[in-house]
Amino acid sequence: MEGPKAPKDPTKKRKSFYIMRGKSVAGFPQADGTGIQFLYMNDGRMLSSARLVGGITDEEMLKMMETTEGFRRLVHSIGVTVEAQDRELTADFCLQMYGHRDVYGSGTTLRMPVRANGMEHILELDGCQWSDDDNMPGQIRFEFPKAETLATVAVRFYLQDGFDAPEVEEEEPVDFDSPLYRKMLEKAVVQTGNNARLKRAIDKARRGEDVTVAFIGGSITQGAGAIPINTQCYAYKTFCGFCELTGRGTDDNVHYVKAGVGGTPSELGMIRYETDVLADGKVTPDVVVVEFAVNDEGDETKGECYDSLVRKILNAENRPAVILLFAVFADDFNLQERLSPVGRAYDLPMVSTRDTVLEQFYQKPGEGRVVSKNQFFYDSYHPTNIGHRVMADGILQLLRTVDSQEADTDAMDLSAAVPPLGGTFEKVRLLDRRHVWEQVAIDCGGFAHVDGDTQAVERNMDLTGTHEFPDNWMYRGAEGGSPFAMDITCESLLLVYKDSADNQVGCAEVWVDGEKVLFADPHINGWNHCNALICFRERERKSYHVEVRMVPGQEDKDFTILGWGVV
């Protein structure tokens, strides 16, 4: 192939910084056979990426990226690189601005085809058509002609004149076999706790008996940031490590359950445990890893739901082992100090990803750093494949340590153990269209429909997504109708409802015996998401009349009751 006879002089490169660099992506399957990788930039994610990947510390520049107007004053052009095995493949790079009036519909979407051959393509913003309703940078998408296409991408922002950015720091590959890495992993084990249940599960697997290893948590347990999500997530890597430790293959007698739901705390986890982990009694886990240390800021009880969930698992008839896992965000946040008293009270094994990586993050290359934040984090909340591996290796460090110990006596008696954070919800059960019992009388009124568009998550080895709370009650404003009414005998009650950014979705109120106890606003979180809130707790056990009514003036809007948590 011949080049041009007279190549043009090179254009002087502008100052720039990366928001993605060496990032793994995969096309999530769509109905038409194509694949899309969604990368959300709202809620501070773009700013976090600029700090984490680009090294930007200038607060004025960071603030400009919060709005479309500021973004356009800061960014001259966008450089995009895509590398895939098929170098002839073309992917579409999209940057979508969210709108003021209609979050997903009224903003600008910038689009550029990019060959997957590793060459940088430039999208200049001056020539783009912009919407008058643009609000903020909302999401980046890589759209592939085929589902499950794997690629590595880079996105960097070239700056307008007058702005500066630091030079890009080169990173050494992570050496997983180095003494420094092994030393780092030693910090993962907070405590081994009473090892009896965990050793029993390991020995049981070695004997060839059926053993189930289960994981429950938020989006990190779901596998967010892992590419592909089903095989590169920490849960599956831990499961494979457990199989290797016990000398069993993943298709033998050791079984796997992954029950992570993005954006949800243990307040929802304790309600869905029987359906998502136990499969309504069809599954009996021997080991359960609980990961809510970065999601439980949204737990309105500030720890009691977490304590209740842990007690619920421990009190199962087969006496499973429970491992508490404390993940971490890119800003070093987690709730380890709040939640670890539960592990200490019940003498449970605990693993901290924060303790594993935090100190070495702030050391220099060659002076103790093993993995950088850019290498560990996919975005401000979720790990990369490397990060997921580090998390799994931390749990496996615990398993190997316990395996080498003498067995303790399983003397756990939860009836004598005072819940450090409270156990009010230990016996909570899910009530929905499928899980209902005789003592409950329901008149669904206008909530007669079933919402088929609930939050979907990749369970177990699945890539297509399973809908959470499919047996729900939906009110359609176009048809109207009377309130949802229920007579139920209980002590505590939680409403589980669907969040949404759709303007057609409205707010509802929960009334108990004629008293308004809860206002449910589906727009607070602003995405298709499951939300659990307490209606009342620790009341006298008697029959209560419960109603869900649309807020006056919003009777023409939609609302979905996903279910109820009942004690």
Side-chain angles (χ1 to χ4, degrees):
M1 178 184 294
E2 292 186 1
K5 300 299 182 186
K8 293 180 180 179
D9 291 337
T11 302
K12 183 180 179 181
K13 286 248 180 177
R14 293 176 171 271
K15 291 286 187 177
S16 67
F17 65 88
Y18 285 96
I19 61 164
M20 300 176 196
R21 184 181 176 207
K23 194 178 194 74
S24 298
V25 298
F28 187 82
Q30 305 298 300
D32 61 358
T34 62
I36 301 179
Q37 175 73 67
F38 296 91
L39 299 159
Y40 296 99
M41 295 288 109
N42 59 327
D43 294 334
R45 292 179 177 92
M46 180 175 283
L47 279 65
S48 178
S49 295
R51 290 189 183 99
L52 192 66
V53 186
I56 300 299
T57 58
D58 187 314
E59 292 298 324
E60 180 185 351
M61 289 173 60
L62 292 168
K63 189 170 181 61
M64 291 174 75
M65 288 186 281
E66 292 179 342
T67 66
T68 303
E69 180 185 2
F71 180 83
R72 292 177 62 184
R73 285 192 286 112
L74 176 70
V75 179
H76 174 273
S77 48
I78 303 173
V80 182
T81 303
V82 177
E83 289 187 80
Q85 187 172 12
D86 180 2
R87 295 184 178 277
E88 299 301 314
L89 176 148
T90 297
D92 274 4
F93 165 82
C94 303
L95 172 59
Q96 180 178 352
M97 300 292 162
Y98 287 169
H100 287 281
R101 186 180 66 256
D102 179 354
V103 173
Y104 300 118
S106 61
T108 300
T109 296
L110 307 177
R111 182 180 294 270
M112 176 176 66
V114 181
R115 283 278 298 277
N117 58 5
M119 185 180 78
E120 185 178 57
H121 292 60
I122 303 295
L123 175 64
E124 293 194 3
L125 302 190
D126 280 351
C128 299
Q129 297 294 318
W130 298 86
S131 167
D132 293 335
D133 198 52
D134 283 335
N135 181 13
M136 69 180 75
Q139 62 178 257
I140 285 174
R141 298 190 300 274
F142 286 90
E143 301 181 358
F144 299 97
K146 292 183 180 179
E148 299 179 30
T149 299
L150 302 179
T152 302
V153 302
V155 177
R156 65 171 158 177
F157 294 156
Y158 289 99
L159 301 175
Q160 300 279 14
D161 294 339
F163 294 101
D164 199 5
E167 293 295 322
V168 175
E169 179 182 303
E170 295 299 324
E171 296 177 322
E172 293 292 324
V174 178
D175 185 354
F176 295 104
D177 297 317
S178 69
L180 272 178
Y181 184 74
R182 292 194 293 271
K183 184 177 180 181
M184 183 183 80
L185 288 182
E186 292 174 2
K187 298 179 181 179
V189 181
V190 177
Q191 68 176 35
T192 56
N194 186 299
N195 66 24
R197 295 189 180 196
L198 199 48
K199 285 186 74 71
R200 186 166 66 237
I202 292 170
D203 293 342
K204 187 178 174 184
R206 283 198 176 115
R207 292 195 301 268
E209 299 177 39
D210 283 335
V211 168
T212 297
V213 182
F215 303 80
I216 185 169
S219 56
I220 295 176
T221 295
Q222 185 179 334
I227 305 295
I229 197 170
N230 57 346
T231 59
Q232 294 299 315
C233 62
Y234 89 83
Y236 188 70
K237 287 177 177 291
T238 301
F239 167 70
C240 292
F242 182 91
C243 292
E244 184 179 348
L245 179 69
T246 58
R248 296 290 169 175
T250 56
D251 296 324
D252 293 343
N253 57 301
V254 186
H255 312 290
Y256 172 62
V257 174
K258 182 184 72 167
V261 176
T264 64
S266 53
E267 188 166 355
L268 185 75
M270 67 181 186
I271 297 171
R272 62 182 182 84
Y273 181 74
E274 280 81 7
T275 54
D276 289 6
V277 176
L278 304 186
D280 294 323
K282 299 183 183 70
V283 173
T284 305
D286 299 89
V287 179
V288 182
V289 178
V290 179
E291 178 270 314
F292 282 109
V294 290
N295 280 60
D296 261 16
E297 191 62 34
D299 166 23
E300 57 189 319
T301 69
K302 303 306 178 188
E304 186 166 6
C305 291
Y306 183 84
D307 198 341
S308 298
L309 171 62
V310 171
R311 290 179 66 89
K312 177 198 286 269
I313 301 169
L314 288 170
N315 266 329
E317 195 172 318
N318 70 313
R319 300 176 73 81
V322 172
I323 299 171
L324 304 185
L325 174 62
F326 306 124
V328 67
F329 281 161
D331 63 358
D332 306 336
F333 167 85
N334 78 4
L335 293 169
Q336 186 170 329
E337 282 70 30
R338 177 198 289 179
L339 303 179
S340 57
V342 173
R344 293 199 169 86
Y346 308 136
D347 203 15
L348 301 178
M350 294 191 285
V351 174
S352 172
T353 304
R354 188 191 69 181
D355 291 357
T356 308
V357 298
L358 187 59
E359 183 181 350
Q360 63 86 47
F361 275 155
Y362 296 99
Q363 296 173 348
K364 294 180 179 179
E367 297 179 10
R369 185 195 293 175
V370 180
V371 54
S372 71
K373 280 194 174 185
N374 178 50
Q375 290 169 318
F376 185 93
F377 288 103
Y378 193 81
D379 55 24
S380 53
Y381 306 118
H382 307 110
T384 59
N385 286 1
I386 289 173
H388 276 278
R389 174 170 176 176
V390 172
M391 291 184 69
D393 284 349
I395 302 173
L396 295 173
Q397 178 80 10
L398 167 75
L399 294 178
R400 287 190 296 267
T401 302
V402 166
D403 192 36
S404 67
Q405 295 173 335
E406 293 293 322
D408 295 327
T409 301
D410 184 2
M412 183 181 295
D413 180 8
L414 285 190
S415 63
V418 177
L421 303 180
T424 296
F425 304 101
E426 178 185 337
K427 296 182 179 179
V428 69
R429 292 190 291 168
L430 170 65
L431 170 67
D432 62 12
R433 285 184 185 269
R434 184 162 59 94
H435 304 88
V436 68
W437 46 95
E438 291 181 358
Q439 297 90 337
V440 182
I442 294 175
D443 177 1
C444 59
F447 292 74
H449 306 278
V450 175
D451 190 340
D453 184 29
T454 60
Q455 184 176 0
V457 301
E458 298 87 352
R459 295 254 195 92
N460 306 332
M461 297 303 294
D462 183 27
L463 277 174
T464 57
T466 299
H467 287 280
E468 289 291 306
F469 300 98
D471 304 295
N472 53 66
W473 295 277
M474 181 183 184
Y475 176 91
R476 287 182 178 163
E479 299 180 22
S482 58
F484 176 96
M486 172 173 69
D487 291 294
I488 185 168
T489 299
C490 61
E491 299 171 3
S492 302
L493 184 70
L494 299 93
L495 170 69
V496 185
Y497 65 96
K498 173 183 168 179
D499 284 326
S500 176
D502 191 339
N503 291 333
Q504 179 53 36
V505 174
C507 300
E509 299 168 339
V510 179
W511 292 71
V512 177
D513 290 347
E515 174 194 3
K516 185 170 73 172
V517 298
L518 182 66
F519 177 83
D521 183 355
H523 299 293
I524 290 176
N525 289 297
W527 58 295
N528 191 345
H529 169 265
C530 309
N531 204 356
L533 290 176
I534 297 170
C535 300
F536 61 85
R537 54 178 295 176
E538 296 184 281
R539 288 192 179 184
E540 177 189 353
R541 187 180 186 278
K542 67 172 190 174
S543 177
Y544 294 94
H545 181 72
V546 179
E547 291 188 3
V548 180
R549 310 172 186 172
M550 296 304 294
V551 168
Q554 297 192 32
E555 293 88 352
D556 61 340
K557 302 288 188 179
D558 300 341
F559 188 87
T560 301
I561 301 170
L562 296 174
W564 300 89
V566 183
V567 181

